[in-house]
Amino acid sequence: MLSKRSVQLPIYTQIKRNLKLSTKSVIHNADEILKTGFVKDLGKRIANIAIGISAARGLGYIGLMVGAVSGVDNVYEACKVDGQGECGKTTTREVVGFIGGIVGGVQGGTVGSGVAVSSAAGFAVIIGVTASAPVLAVAAIAGVVVGGAVGGVVGSTAGKWGLMLFMKRLKTYGEMNRC
């Protein structure tokens, strides 16, 4: 039985791999690709993906700024307005929460991207179509944004909670050693 797997046409696998194209796209555009040496509208596709990536990066910076401003506002409230001696504790909690948000956002974005791309590819297989590179790129961008947002919130909350737990343990340990 002859198939593309048994024959292994090198030009087909090379074009498909280098341009990250779906089998459907290569088959429908094979003559044009081989004749001209390029894929129609590939530059437009890459430009659109780059715009999406740039927008996702901008959203990440906006999220960082909102988190930092929120933390600075909480520190200002505790140190200048409230005046109940919670300045150091609040400052430490907000700094740890901000760092936890950054770490959680990065990890969440990474996980979100992988989950989104896997889901898009899996859904395409289930309905019997192939997922093209632009579809997977959009899924990856959306996954990074959603995963980064969720990871940032979870990381910030976990950082503040972990610090609170650590401080309680430290306080308990200090009281035990006074005896």
Side-chain angles (χ1 to χ4, degrees), residues 20-102:
K20 299 187 185 333
L21 298 172
S22 66
T23 302
K24 183 178 179 181
S25 179
V26 171
I27 290 171
H28 288 313
N29 300 309
D31 292 337
E32 185 180 340
I33 292 171
L34 292 173
K35 184 170 45 169
T36 61
F38 65 92
V39 178
K40 182 179 175 186
D41 296 331
L42 183 63
K44 259 191 238 180
R45 293 177 187 176
I46 292 172
N48 290 337
I49 292 169
I51 289 169
I53 291 170
S54 179
R57 181 180 294 140
L59 284 174
Y61 288 137
I62 290 170
L64 282 174
M65 287 188 334
V66 168
V69 167
S70 173
V72 168
D73 182 54
N74 289 344
V75 169
Y76 176 77
E77 289 285 325
C79 294
K80 295 289 182 183
V81 177
D82 195 10
Q84 293 182 356
E86 297 288 317
C87 183
K89 186 176 179 181
T90 301
T91 303
T92 305
R93 184 179 69 236
E94 292 301 325
V95 167
V96 169
F98 183 71
I99 293 170
I102 292 172

Side-chain angles (χ1 to χ4, degrees), residues 80-157:
K80 295 289 182 183
V81 177
D82 195 10
Q84 293 182 356
E86 297 288 317
C87 183
K89 186 176 179 181
T90 301
T91 303
T92 305
R93 184 179 69 236
E94 292 301 325
V95 167
V96 169
F98 183 71
I99 293 170
I102 292 172
V103 172
V106 169
Q107 296 301 319
T110 303
V111 170
S113 173
V115 168
V117 170
S118 298
S119 299
F123 183 72
V125 167
I126 289 171
I127 62 172
V129 297
T130 57
S132 64
V135 170
L136 295 178
V138 169
I141 292 168
V144 167
V145 170
V146 172
V150 171
V153 170
V154 169
S156 179
T157 305

